[in-house]
Amino acid sequence: MRRYPPIAEHGLIGDLQTCALVSSEGVLNWFCAPRFDSPSVFAGLLDHDRGGYFAITVDHPGTTVRQLYLADTAILVTRFLSRQGVGEVADFMPLGSPGTVSDRHRIVRIMRVVRGTVQFTLRCRPRFDYGRQTHGLVLGERDAHFRGPGIAAHLQAVGPVRLERDGEDVEAAVELRAGQLAAVVLTTDSADAEPPSPVTPESLHAEFDAVRRFWHTWVGRCRYRGRWQETVNRSAITLKLLTYAPTGAPIAAATTGLPEEEGGERNWDYRYTWVRDASLSVRAMIDLGFTEEAHAYRAWLGARLRAGNAPNGEPLQIMYRVDGEPDLAEEVLDHLEGWRGSSPVRAGNGAAGQLQLDIYGEAVHAFSLSSGSADVASYEGWQRVTGLLDWLTCNWDRPDEGIWETRGGRKEFTFSRLMCWVALDRGIRQAAAHGRPADLPGWTAARDALFHQVMERGWSEERQAFVQHFGGDVLDASLLLMPVVGFLSPRDPRWLSTLDAMEDELVRDSLVHRYDPAAAADGISGVEGTFSLCSFLYVDALARAGRLDQARYAFDKMLTYANHVGLFAEEIGPTGEQLGNFPQAFTHLALITAAMALDAELDRAASSAA
C-alpha cells in the first residue's frame, strides 16, 4: 500500500449526500460525513499517518490490480489477479430516500473470489475531524463500534471475517476460496443514534441490485446518443455523484487540499457550490435530458436570492455550502502533512468573500433556460431577478477578483464584463419574450456600454486578441466562452485572431493553460499545470470555428488523460499526471458540452457534404 498514490489512481463512490475515494489498491482514503463538506472520517490522502484509511488489499507477491466501474453505475470494482487466485472488492454506497437529509451513511465493501484462493487484508482506521480527534473502540467478534466527537462509525462483518483489535482500530485477515463471499459494511451516524440493523448476505444482494437499478434507470434518461456516449455517461454520473440531493446543489469537487503543484501552496477546498460552475451546468443537464437536476439547482439558486444572506451585501455570494449557508471561514489544518508534502491543507475557502461579477451572468443565464419550469417563472422569482439586474446596472463597472479567484488584487477583468453583458442580455430577452416588467432602457444602456467596453478596452491591438484585463496584454482561456455565450460569432475575425493567439501562447500539445502566472501576478507562489476545463473549452471553440479536424484530435487526445475509470482532476501536470482536487465537476461539465458541440458540428459538416 503506497503512502500517497497518484491523485488519479482513485474511483469515486457516493450516495448523493457524501462520497468516498477508493484507490486502485483498494484503499478508501477519503470520506467525509455526514455531508460532502463535513470533517473527514478518512483522510489518508492528505496524511497517511494521521488522516486514517479503510483498506482491503491483497498482498500476494506478483498481484496485478485492476479497477473498473460496472457499466453505467457508480459501483466500483477493484480486482486482484495473482497465480494463487483472482479476487475482487465491489464498493458502493446505498442511496437513502430522495431529498431526505440523513446523518446515516453506509459504505458497503463486498469481497469475493472467482478463481483459486485469495487472502484479503482488512484495516479500518478512522480518524475523526480531519484527524484532530481521538476515538474509542468497542469490539465484538463480528462488529466494531468507533465513537468520536458527535459522530460514530459502526463496522459490521458478513461471512468468514473475524475482526481483531489493533489499538483503537481493527484489522482482519480474510481468506476466501472460489465461490465464497464476505463483506464489511461501515455505517456512520450521529454518536447517539441507534445501532444499524443486522446485515445478511441477502440484504447485501438486495442493496447491490437496488443501487445498480437506480443508476441504470437514471442513465437511461440521458438523451445523448453521440460518438462518445460511454464517456459522456461517465461524466454525467460523476456530476450526479457530486450533487447534494436534498438541495440540488452540486459541489466543485469531492476533496480539499489536493495541490495544483506537487509540494506547492495552491491547495484549496472545493467541497462547496460555486454559483458559476453550477449555473453553467444547467444547459448541459437540460440538453442531456436531466431536467429534474437542472430545476432543482435553479430552485436552490432562487432560494439564495430570496434569502439575501450574502455577507458582502451583494445579491449573491460566489459560493455557498450545500445547504445554502454562506459561512465558509478558511482554516489551515497544519497538523496534516498534505498529499506528498503539499501544504498548507485548508478547510473552508476564503475566496467566498471575493467580488466576482461574472457570477451574475452565469446565474441569469441559468434562469433563462426553459424558464417555464424555473423558479424565476413566478412573479416573486422575476422580482428577484429584476432586483439583481437593477443592482448590476449600477455595479458592473467595478474591478473584481475574476473567475480564477486570484489573490493579487482587483482588476477590470474582461471575462467579468463579458458575463455582466450576458446577465443583462438574457434579462432583456426574458422580459421581452414574456412581457415582464423591467427597466428595459436602463438594462439596455448598461448592456450596450458593456459591449463597447469589452470590444474597445478588452481588445489589444498589439496582441490582436482579447486579453485578461483592461490595460494588460495577458491572454486568458476563460474568454473561450465568448462565442458560446453569443457575444461574438465563433468565426468573427477578432475571435479567430484571439483563438490563434491562445494557440500560440496557452496551448501545449492540445492542453490549455488558464493564463501565464509569470506574466499575470495572481498573488500566489508556484506554478500550475494545464487546466482541463480550459482544454475542453478549447475543443468547443475549435468546433464552433469550423476547425473540426483539429477539434476532434484535441478532444480524443484529451480523453487519453482521463484516469483508468474515466475521471478527471482539475489539472494535467507537465508529465501527464493529474493534479488538483478530484474529481472536478467543472471539467466533466466541459467534457460533456465539448462532446455535444463537436458532435453537432461534425453532423452538420457531414450533412453539408452529402
Side-chain angles (χ1 to χ4, degrees):
M1 182 172 61
R2 292 169 290 183
R3 288 178 59 82
Y4 295 108
I7 291 170
E9 286 296 311
H10 293 84
L12 177 74
I13 59 173
D15 64 0
L16 310 185
Q17 293 191 34
T18 186
C19 61
L21 294 179
V22 182
S23 81
S24 59
E25 296 174 312
V27 182
L28 193 156
N29 55 24
W30 182 255
F31 173 61
C32 300
R35 297 191 325 202
F36 296 114
D37 56 356
S38 299
S40 63
V41 177
F42 301 110
L45 197 56
L46 297 177
D47 194 310
H48 178 80
D49 299 318
R50 299 181 185 89
Y53 57 85
F54 182 10
I56 299 180
T57 58
V58 171
D59 304 323
H60 296 164
T63 298
T64 299
V65 186
R66 297 284 185 267
Q67 196 172 56
L68 68 152
Y69 280 111
L70 292 187
D72 289 341
T73 76
I75 298 172
L76 188 68
V77 178
T78 307
R79 308 194 75 217
F80 302 90
L81 301 91
S82 70
R83 291 184 178 275
Q84 291 90 342
V86 175
E88 61 186 33
V89 178
D91 289 310
F92 65 94
M93 294 182 67
L95 284 74
S97 301
T100 302
V101 176
S102 176
D103 286 337
R104 175 164 289 189
H105 302 278
R106 303 173 67 238
I107 297 171
V108 178
R109 313 198 71 185
I110 299 175
M111 297 165 274
R112 74 184 189 105
V113 171
V114 297
R115 179 181 63 77
T117 300
V118 175
Q119 180 164 305
F120 298 91
T121 300
L122 181 152
R123 301 180 184 90
C124 187
R125 299 179 175 180
R127 298 291 183 267
F128 298 105
D129 189 24
Y130 305 110
R132 292 182 292 197
Q133 302 289 340
T134 59
H135 64 270
L137 170 66
V138 177
L139 179 65
E141 183 176 326
R142 307 286 293 173
D143 66 352
H145 186 74
F146 306 93
R147 184 180 293 273
I151 186 172
H154 198 94
L155 186 67
Q156 298 167 283
V158 176
V161 181
R162 183 182 180 87
L163 301 175
E164 297 183 358
R165 179 181 287 271
D166 178 19
E168 295 301 303
D169 304 319
V170 299
E171 60 183 26
V174 183
E175 185 172 281
L176 300 177
R177 297 185 303 276
Q180 283 189 303
L181 178 146
V184 284
V185 179
L186 183 76
T187 302
T188 59
D189 209 333
S190 56
D192 56 355
E194 291 294 321
S197 302
V199 179
T200 65
E202 293 75 20
S203 67
L204 289 179
H205 282 302
E207 287 188 309
F208 181 92
D209 289 340
V211 170
R212 182 170 54 184
R213 283 196 306 272
F214 170 86
W215 287 108
H216 283 170
T217 300
W218 187 81
V219 172
R221 291 162 44 200
C222 183
R223 290 201 297 251
Y224 178 80
R225 296 293 184 268
R227 296 165 177 82
W228 297 279
Q229 187 166 348
E230 183 178 346
T231 299
V232 168
N233 284 355
R234 179 53 52 197
S235 288
I237 290 171
T238 303
L239 291 178
K240 179 71 169 175
L241 281 170
L242 295 176
T243 299
Y244 186 66
T247 64
I251 60 172
T255 57
T256 182
L258 294 182
E260 298 173 18
E261 176 191 15
E262 184 174 338
E265 67 174 61
R266 297 170 182 257
N267 319 314
W268 315 111
D269 192 344
Y270 277 19
R271 298 170 298 154
Y272 308 113
T273 301
W274 268 253
V275 170
R276 173 190 308 110
D277 306 29
S279 296
L280 287 173
S281 73
V282 170
R283 173 80 274 168
M285 299 308 278
I286 290 174
D287 288 346
L288 290 177
F290 300 119
T291 54
E292 181 180 327
E293 287 74 12
H295 298 335
Y297 166 70
R298 290 190 295 191
W300 178 90
L301 182 58
R304 305 287 69 72
L305 280 173
R306 184 167 58 251
N309 61 349
N312 52 18
E314 296 160 18
L316 289 171
Q317 185 168 284
I318 69 166
M319 68 179 95
Y320 298 85
R321 294 186 180 274
V322 291
D323 61 357
E325 285 299 309
D327 181 15
L328 281 75
E330 185 172 296
E331 63 175 321
V332 172
L333 306 177
D334 54 11
H335 63 289
L336 296 179
E337 178 183 24
W339 181 82
R340 297 184 179 177
S342 302
S343 63
V345 174
R346 299 176 176 92
N349 200 310
Q354 288 188 352
L355 176 65
Q356 296 177 22
L357 291 169
D358 71 280
I359 66 170
Y360 299 108
E362 289 97 355
V364 177
H365 181 62
F367 282 134
S368 73
L369 300 169
S370 301
S371 62
S373 303
D375 178 68
V376 71
S378 68
Y379 174 75
E380 291 78 10
W382 180 249
Q383 290 290 94
R384 288 192 289 275
V385 171
T386 57
L388 183 160
L389 291 173
D390 289 342
W391 177 90
L392 193 61
T393 59
C394 301
N395 287 274
W396 63 263
D397 199 11
R398 299 163 62 188
D400 69 350
E401 276 89 3
I403 181 176
W404 305 128
E405 297 173 4
T406 59
R407 302 195 178 191
R410 294 181 177 180
K411 295 182 175 66
E412 294 178 294
F413 285 102
T414 305
F415 182 77
S416 297
R417 303 298 166 86
L418 166 72
M419 296 309 295
C420 287
W421 176 90
V422 169
L424 291 159
D425 179 73
R426 301 310 190 266
I428 292 165
R429 295 186 189 196
Q430 287 294 101
H434 300 286
R436 301 295 174 83
D439 178 17
L440 288 178
W443 294 3
T444 301
R447 181 196 64 180
D448 294 349
L450 277 157
F451 183 84
H452 289 301
Q453 195 179 84
V454 170
M455 295 300 291
E456 294 165 7
R457 299 184 62 200
W459 172 260
S460 168
E461 283 292 336
E462 181 180 352
R463 299 301 305 270
Q464 286 293 291
F466 290 99
V467 292
Q468 183 181 69
H469 58 82
F470 298 169
D473 61 2
V474 176
L475 301 179
D476 193 311
S478 65
L479 297 177
L480 288 164
L481 281 169
M482 268 187 160
V484 176
V485 299
F487 185 84
L488 287 177
S489 162
R491 305 193 188 191
D492 183 285
R494 283 197 180 197
W495 171 247
L496 294 177
S497 178
T498 300
L499 188 57
D500 290 339
M502 289 184 184
E503 288 176 353
D504 290 341
E505 185 170 305
L506 299 182
V507 180
R508 300 289 182 270
D509 192 32
S510 299
L511 302 176
V512 182
H513 289 275
R514 295 188 291 182
Y515 55 89
D516 180 0
D522 57 13
I524 310 163
S525 65
V527 298
E528 60 178 20
T530 57
F531 214 64
S532 296
L533 158 71
C534 297
S535 298
F536 285 119
L537 292 181
Y538 175 59
V539 171
D540 193 316
L542 289 173
R544 293 172 188 268
R547 302 175 181 181
L548 295 183
D549 290 342
Q550 189 179 357
R552 185 160 191 176
Y553 180 64
F555 187 70
D556 287 340
K557 183 181 289 187
M558 188 60 197
L559 295 184
T560 69
Y561 289 98
N563 80 344
H564 56 291
V565 289
L567 304 182
F568 284 93
E570 186 177 16
E571 298 186 5
I572 304 296
T575 58
E577 73 277 17
Q578 296 207 35
L579 295 171
N581 284 305
F582 175 89
Q584 194 204 28
F586 217 167
T587 297
H588 286 277
L589 164 64
L591 183 158
I592 291 169
T593 57
M596 290 192 291
L598 185 52
D599 263 317
E601 295 298 334
L602 288 170
D603 290 345
R604 187 174 294 114
S607 177
S608 298

